[in-house]
Amino acid sequence: MKIIFKYTKLGKLKYISHLDTLRLLQRALRRTGLPAKYSEGFNPHPKLSIAFPLSLGIESIGEMAEVELAIRVERDVFVNKMNDSLPEGLQIISASEFKGNKPLPAQIVSQEYRLNVCFKSNQDLEQALKIADAILACDYNIIRVKEKKNKVTKKEINIVEYLTLMQIEAQSDLTFSIDFKVAITETGSLKIEEIRDFVSTYFQNIDHLTAIRTNLNFVDKSV
Amino acid sequence: MNNIKLDELLKKVEKPARYIGGELNSVMKDKTQVHVRFAFAFPDVYEVGMSHLGMHIIYYLLNQDKDIWCERVFAPWTDMEDELKYHDVDLFTLESNDSLKEFDFIGFTLQYEMSYTNILNMMSLAGIPVESKHRDDSFPLIVAGGPCAFNPEPLHEFVDIFFIGESEDLLPEVMEIYKQHKNSGEGKYSFFKKISHIEGIYIPSFYDVVYKDDNTIKERVKLYDKAPDIIKKRIVKNLDQAYFPEKIIVPFIETVHDRVVLELFRGCTRGCRFCQAGMIYRPIRERSVETLLKQADLLIDSTGHEEISLSSLSTGDYSKLIELAQALLDKYEERRIGLSLPSLRLDSITFELIKRVQKVRKSGLTFAPEAGTQRMRDVINKNISEEEIIDSVKTAFALGWSNIKLYFMVGLPGETIEDIYGIKDIAYKVKDEFFKRDKNSIKGNLNVSVSVACFVPKPFTPFQWEKQNTVAEFSNKTSILKKELKDKKISYSYHDPKLSVIEGAFALGDRRMSKVLKKAWQMGCTFDGWGDKFKYDVWMKAFEAADVSLGYYTERNKAFTEVLPWDFINCGVNKEFLIKEKELSLSRITTEDCRISCTGCGVNVELVGGPCFENHI
Ligand code: SF4
């Protein structure tokens, strides 16, 4: 059976890379004793994949992965066994059986981030709140430079084309949060660093800014 | 250090997960509730240190005592070193994130000589003076053990206490005495006196060394009259009942060896004359199949690792290898847990075994002929014939292998140019075997990888009196091979001769090498084992500045009568045996495996107190 689950990546676990997170999940699964289905080939691995990579150093409360088990288990049994086996910062928060046939990574349509923006003074904060709603009103073009084996390619993209503003909310201590939905299209998506740069440029007198991924959205594209 | 500060450092470095701790099975305790704090220090990066079984054993051994908290620290990579310095933060352990300064003990493991500069660097990054004499009682005690401790003298200025031999029994004994001592209000020298009589303990500050005019050692002088003259290595008499952890830490990030390691036995009976491990780990002691299966079970369940490797010096010699391998496969095959086997003499039983192993996970195949000609192999007592190598390779090809690794050494005593060309010949013969077969049965893409190490004479081997090749001699040999091994199917790699001679100077060095070490570290040498970080020119300057000659250690044949820097250590194998072996090597006479009959190395008398094997007299 195929299970799709949502999990957190909090605290120091934000420093675990994509590949290492994958291995961590695979090992945790092994320790539960639940039999996984295995890939074919030279070095077989349990069929478990992470939906969409997360940048190193960023926390999340909305990661997703899918796993194929060789037997049927109750959803709660799966979640409890896995959570016993997983470290504190990485815990499964929900899970459900998936009957479709498309791999999860191909079905992720958007990611969501919350940015907590902290200002130097109350005045700066008030100023910023006034213009916050209009943050996506103007284009914001950046140039992505890629270097591959001495070949430099440049691509211009418009940040705001990818973003939907979801919510702005005052938080404590000179801080408000701003939530974005970021589209994942055939041409890719945005990196959190790019969004941070964009937000930092738009507002003035930011003291510091932290980001957390809050969700991944998927649409069942099975036929 | 608090979390916010740590976060600031971690954000700047390339591999932050090296420093975060919190892995599954790592141990957290309340520091106010423990009596002794011990930092296990591995003088290399996390990925290397965490692959080392000994570290896991010591970690759990100490932590099972509720009065002791053993934590870990590894050499920070250069990017982290820069951040520590920039933010003025002391080097910290992974568990409590406390500065190394706050510990009772820092225990370094000495696995290879070229990690020594990292030892000084790690102390210094925590604000601890590197020299023992500059550390008052407010600083931690610096202790060290591991294979390189068998010649501790190059580190005598920096380390307070050496553990010679195996620590499973020794370490808890010393900790018990320390617990009593800690509240006594007495200083560190009083503690040294309390433990100096224990078998396996060496306190370098209790001795002085006097040299002759020709720079060789005249004598050792005791500065504390009750200190022992000879330091006898410590062993675990019954390995089957020795301490073994039920869990090991599971790293978050990929390490060099990510797997469950079973140590089948300690010691080796083959008697290869170049091999230090083969001498210093004697006598041979095996674990029972029952114990090993139990250990495998506990470790697989507690880690979720996907591979078991069987590790010992000459693993194929384990008396119940087939029984063990079959039992492991029966148990784990279905769970897709791979087993990596040592190279085996092939017969119908091992053939079946290998086929089963290959079903789960395919791995490369390794052979270590060590030398290129039969003559040279006789000199070093590596008892494997070319026929045996070729036969094994043939069978391996038939079983579907196409990746073969061959290990050799150059610079061996009495080596001639034929021996170098012999390495090439073996490589090409292996290649020819692959294509000699029926066209239809040739599968896969052949890769023969030839790896050549530069021979370093080591203490407690029959070659301890030998000089080493010079950089020029080594380079000549490695470049001949580079020219001769130009083939699409053969890949060739070799150890840096420059690194090997520095390694030689530390392996064979006396107390004066500590000056060189300190200079080299002061001049910026760290991570010398990491290719691009190794600065030969700086090392040469360090020798000069310390007024010590490299050639004195590495380019000089020594007389049997010369006092060697490590002569005060008794590893169980006696000098007469080593001299006899050295003389036999000159006449190219081999010595048989001492499982068959005892060849009289002395370990039975010194350490076992009876024959090493039941059938021996
Ligand atoms: S005493 Fe004899 S059997 Fe024991 S290790 Fe030495 S040579 Fe081998």
Side-chain angles (χ1 to χ4, degrees):
Chain A
M1 83 186 282
K2 214 185 216 183
I3 297 174
I4 288 183
F5 58 93
K6 222 167 228 185
Y7 62 93
T8 62
K9 205 169 167 227
L10 294 167
K12 285 182 185 171
L13 282 148
K14 68 180 175 205
Y15 292 116
I16 311 295
S17 72
H18 181 69
L19 274 179
D20 290 327
T21 309
L22 182 64
R23 278 173 349 115
L24 191 154
L25 287 166
Q26 288 173 339
R27 286 217 172 117
L29 179 66
R30 268 178 189 282
R31 285 192 298 269
T32 64
L34 295 171
K37 277 202 179 165
Y38 279 80
S39 62
E40 303 289 319
F42 209 61
N43 273 325
H45 278 292
K47 285 196 174 177
L48 192 156
S49 42
I50 292 175
F52 198 74
L54 177 68
S55 291
L56 200 66
I58 301 291
E59 291 183 299
S60 174
I61 50 167
E63 293 307 285
M64 273 174 119
E66 75 176 337
V67 59
E68 257 184 85
L69 296 180
I71 52 157
R72 294 199 61 83
V73 287
E74 287 293 319
R75 190 190 57 193
D76 288 351
V77 173
F78 171 77
V79 174
N80 292 339
K81 282 197 171 195
M82 280 296 277
N83 280 347
D84 282 346
S85 170
L86 284 163
E88 206 183 318
L90 201 158
Q91 289 280 305
I92 296 181
I93 39 186
S94 66
S96 55
E97 186 175 3
F98 182 63
K99 293 229 165 71
N101 53 13
K102 270 216 150 195
L104 177 64
Q107 303 177 88
I108 300 292
V109 290
S110 63
Q111 41 175 343
E112 292 170 21
Y113 285 100
R114 162 163 292 195
L115 282 83
N116 282 308
V117 195
C118 178
F119 290 87
K120 293 207 170 83
S121 71
N122 247 323
Q123 214 179 339
D124 294 329
L125 176 74
E126 273 160 31
Q127 208 62 35
L129 276 171
K130 273 186 213 147
I131 58 165
D133 281 337
I135 185 165
L136 299 181
C138 300
D139 290 351
Y140 186 84
N141 293 314
I142 60 161
I143 291 168
R144 272 192 192 152
V145 185
K146 260 195 197 157
E147 222 174 314
K148 240 193 210 165
K149 284 182 195 161
N150 301 330
K151 244 175 94 186
V152 185
T153 50
K154 287 185 187 168
K155 201 175 117 194
E156 187 168 40
I157 58 159
N158 184 0
I159 293 257
V160 295
E161 275 177 14
Y162 288 87
L163 294 176
T164 314
L165 183 60
M166 290 164 63
Q167 178 171 256
I168 295 169
E169 207 177 1
Q171 305 284 346
S172 57
D173 295 350
L174 308 175
T175 305
F176 69 73
S177 63
I178 176 161
D179 297 350
F180 287 114
K181 185 183 275 178
V182 191
I184 299 169
T185 67
E186 266 134 48
T187 58
S189 187
L190 296 180
K191 288 197 200 108
I192 182 63
E193 293 78 16
E194 291 165 339
I195 304 171
R196 290 178 62 127
D197 283 348
F198 164 60
V199 172
S200 314
T201 325
Y202 184 77
F203 296 111
Q204 258 137 43
N205 295 327
I206 291 179
D207 185 70
H208 66 270
L209 188 161
T210 56
I212 177 169
R213 185 144 85 187
T214 46
N215 201 10
L216 287 171
N217 298 302
F218 103 107
V219 169
D220 188 350
K221 291 182 183 168
S222 313
V223 268
Chain B
M1 185 185 14
N2 64 33
N3 274 335
I4 298 167
K5 187 99 192 177
L6 181 61
D7 228 35
E8 230 175 280
L9 303 180
L10 293 174
K11 285 218 163 92
K12 300 273 175 49
V13 299
E14 193 196 340
K15 291 189 177 165
R18 282 171 170 164
Y19 314 100
I20 61 175
E23 308 95 317
L24 180 73
N25 299 336
S26 57
V27 177
M28 291 303 283
K29 292 188 183 181
D30 178 349
K31 64 181 172 191
T32 61
Q33 299 298 310
V34 296
H35 197 39
V36 182
R37 298 189 69 188
F38 191 107
F40 186 101
F42 199 103
D44 207 322
V45 291
Y46 178 89
E47 295 92 313
V48 175
M50 285 300 287
S51 302
H52 185 249
L53 178 64
M55 193 219 76
H56 295 270
I57 297 178
I58 302 283
Y59 185 77
Y60 277 99
L61 174 72
L62 290 173
N63 276 324
Q64 68 173 0
D65 184 334
K66 66 173 186 354
D67 292 333
I68 304 174
W69 188 10
C70 175
E71 305 182 34
R72 294 161 298 151
V73 61
F74 300 88
W77 190 244
T78 47
D79 57 353
M80 184 50 124
E81 174 174 344
D82 293 344
E83 292 304 320
L84 289 171
K85 285 179 177 162
Y86 180 77
H87 292 273
D88 199 18
V89 171
D90 281 353
L91 181 59
F92 55 89
T93 54
L94 302 193
E95 281 79 3
S96 65
N97 297 153
D98 283 338
S99 159
L100 288 187
K101 248 196 245 153
E102 291 176 34
F103 285 74
D104 297 284
F105 291 93
I106 302 174
F108 284 98
T109 177
L110 312 176
Q111 297 297 320
Y112 27 88
E113 290 84 358
M114 298 320 287
S115 65
Y116 287 177
T117 50
N118 282 357
I119 295 178
L120 305 197
N121 206 41
M122 287 168 77
M123 285 194 238
S124 153
L125 283 173
I128 299 170
V130 297
E131 278 142 327
S132 183
K133 61 173 183 255
H134 293 149
R135 294 192 295 265
D136 61 25
D137 290 332
S138 70
F139 288 105
L141 292 167
I142 307 295
V143 304
C148 293
F150 278 86
N151 180 17
E153 294 296 69
L155 292 172
H156 83 287
E157 279 197 55
F158 317 111
V159 173
D160 296 311
I161 307 165
F162 286 97
F163 290 74
I164 314 293
E166 297 163 357
S167 296
E168 283 105 327
D169 297 336
L170 179 55
L171 200 49
E173 259 175 59
V174 173
M175 290 302 126
E176 271 322 302
I177 298 176
Y178 183 76
K179 285 184 205 166
Q180 308 296 321
H181 165 84
K182 194 175 176 180
N183 295 332
S184 71
E186 297 162 30
K188 65 175 179 176
Y189 286 96
S190 123
F191 177 59
F192 296 165
K193 284 180 184 167
K194 289 177 194 163
I195 59 167
S196 71
H197 65 281
I198 300 176
E199 192 172 293
I201 290 295
Y202 171 50
I203 313 282
S205 55
F206 282 169
Y207 307 83
D208 199 5
V209 176
V210 184
Y211 300 92
K212 296 184 196 163
D213 287 342
D214 66 358
N215 274 329
T216 59
I217 294 171
K218 181 164 176 263
E219 58 180 342
R220 286 172 66 84
V221 182
K222 279 199 273 187
L223 304 175
Y224 168 54
D225 56 348
K226 292 204 187 92
D229 294 298
I230 296 291
I231 309 294
K232 195 169 171 182
K233 92 163 174 205
R234 189 66 177 267
I235 60 163
V236 170
K237 281 239 162 96
N238 185 337
L239 187 67
D240 204 44
Q241 281 162 23
Y243 176 77
F244 197 83
E246 297 187 350
K247 298 170 177 177
I248 51 175
I249 300 167
V250 187
F252 285 131
I253 57 175
E254 192 164 7
T255 61
V256 180
H257 302 302
D258 256 334
R259 59 199 182 193
V260 163
V261 178
L262 296 181
E263 188 194 26
L264 311 192
F265 60 90
R266 280 191 198 154
C268 180
T269 54
R270 301 240 151 191
C272 299
R273 291 176 182 137
F274 57 87
C275 178
Q276 186 188 41
M279 298 295 163
I280 61 174
Y281 292 127
R282 287 181 182 209
I284 199 154
R285 288 147 293 156
E286 291 195 343
R287 284 198 166 99
S288 66
V289 171
E290 198 193 342
T291 302
L292 290 165
L293 289 175
K294 206 174 88 202
Q295 289 178 358
D297 222 27
L298 288 168
L299 294 186
I300 286 289
D301 285 349
S302 64
T303 62
H305 276 313
E306 41 282 284
E307 194 184 347
I308 300 174
S309 96
L310 308 180
S311 138
S312 292
L313 286 174
S314 175
T315 308
D317 289 346
Y318 180 57
S319 60
K320 303 205 174 59
L321 186 65
I322 305 295
E323 193 188 316
L324 174 71
Q326 278 169 344
L328 287 171
L329 282 168
D330 289 346
K331 214 161 178 185
Y332 298 117
E333 215 163 15
E334 229 169 85
R335 286 164 65 183
R336 316 263 181 158
I337 291 165
L339 179 65
S340 57
L341 280 181
S343 15
L344 296 171
R345 227 171 276 275
L346 290 156
D347 55 37
S348 57
I349 302 172
T350 51
F351 194 88
E352 280 308 309
L353 206 64
I354 292 170
K355 274 200 347 216
R356 280 175 75 185
V357 167
Q358 288 286 87
K359 255 193 243 154
V360 184
R361 218 165 282 266
K362 278 201 167 55
S363 56
L365 208 59
T366 305
F367 296 96
E370 306 291 1
T373 62
Q374 194 57 50
R375 187 198 69 85
M376 195 73 249
R377 286 193 293 274
D378 289 346
V379 170
I380 62 174
N381 205 42
K382 179 81 197 186
N383 290 323
I384 180 171
S385 68
E386 190 168 308
E387 215 188 325
E388 283 169 301
I389 300 166
I390 297 298
D391 273 354
S392 307
V393 167
K394 242 191 225 168
T395 324
F397 288 153
L399 276 166
W401 258 288
S402 54
N403 252 323
I404 306 282
K405 273 191 199 139
L406 298 170
Y407 285 115
F408 295 97
M409 276 184 288
V410 294
L412 290 162
E415 185 179 67
T416 66
I417 199 76
E418 274 80 56
D419 301 313
I420 304 300
Y421 283 101
I423 294 176
K424 167 200 132 182
D425 292 342
I426 293 181
Y428 280 101
K429 274 180 197 159
V430 168
K431 180 192 158 189
D432 290 348
E433 282 306 323
F434 189 81
F435 293 106
K436 242 191 219 166
R437 297 172 297 152
D438 173 21
K439 280 252 153 42
N440 301 321
S441 58
I442 298 180
K443 268 181 254 138
N445 206 352
L446 175 71
N447 179 32
V448 183
S449 89
V450 177
S451 164
V452 169
C454 296
F455 170 64
V456 179
K458 292 272 162 115
F460 302 107
T461 68
F463 294 150
Q464 64 177 350
W465 296 278
E466 291 291 327
K467 65 178 179 187
Q468 196 184 6
N469 272 191
T470 61
V471 170
E473 286 166 324
F474 277 134
S475 304
N476 181 33
K477 292 168 186 175
T478 53
S479 46
I480 289 177
L481 286 171
K482 192 169 185 177
K483 249 204 307 259
E484 295 291 336
L485 289 174
K486 280 219 169 94
D487 189 287
K488 269 195 214 128
K489 302 287 172 200
I490 301 176
S491 52
Y492 167 61
S493 64
Y494 59 96
H495 286 194
D496 182 355
K498 290 175 173 164
L499 191 70
S500 302
V501 299
I502 308 285
E503 190 189 325
F506 279 110
L508 303 168
D510 53 28
R511 293 195 157 195
R512 290 166 293 193
M513 277 303 291
S514 66
K515 285 205 202 75
V516 181
L517 177 61
K518 192 175 165 201
K519 287 276 181 220
W521 165 68
Q522 281 171 334
M523 293 171 166
C525 291
T526 55
F527 287 108
D528 301 285
W530 285 76
D532 59 325
K533 296 265 176 295
F534 174 59
K535 305 176 194 123
Y536 182 68
D537 300 345
V538 179
W539 273 100
M540 289 300 107
K541 282 192 194 119
F543 273 96
E544 216 173 282
D547 197 22
V548 171
S549 143
L550 172 73
Y552 170 78
Y553 299 107
T554 60
E555 292 168 23
R556 193 172 61 88
N557 280 327
K558 294 177 281 266
F560 290 143
T561 49
E562 184 175 324
V563 178
L564 304 174
W566 52 89
D567 273 351
F568 69 96
I569 286 175
N570 177 359
C571 81
V573 174
N574 61 44
K575 218 178 202 180
E576 293 72 49
F577 174 78
L578 297 178
I579 293 176
K580 190 182 83 195
E581 280 296 299
K582 156 83 190 182
E583 279 165 349
L584 289 173
S585 86
L586 291 174
S587 335
R588 287 182 249 150
I589 299 171
T590 58
T591 297
E592 66 179 348
D593 190 321
C594 69
R595 247 173 223 274
I596 303 162
S597 73
C598 175
T599 52
C601 77
V603 155
N604 49 358
V605 182
E606 289 290 340
L607 296 169
V608 184
C612 290
F613 294 94
E614 278 165 18
N615 59 343
H616 284 189
I617 5 148

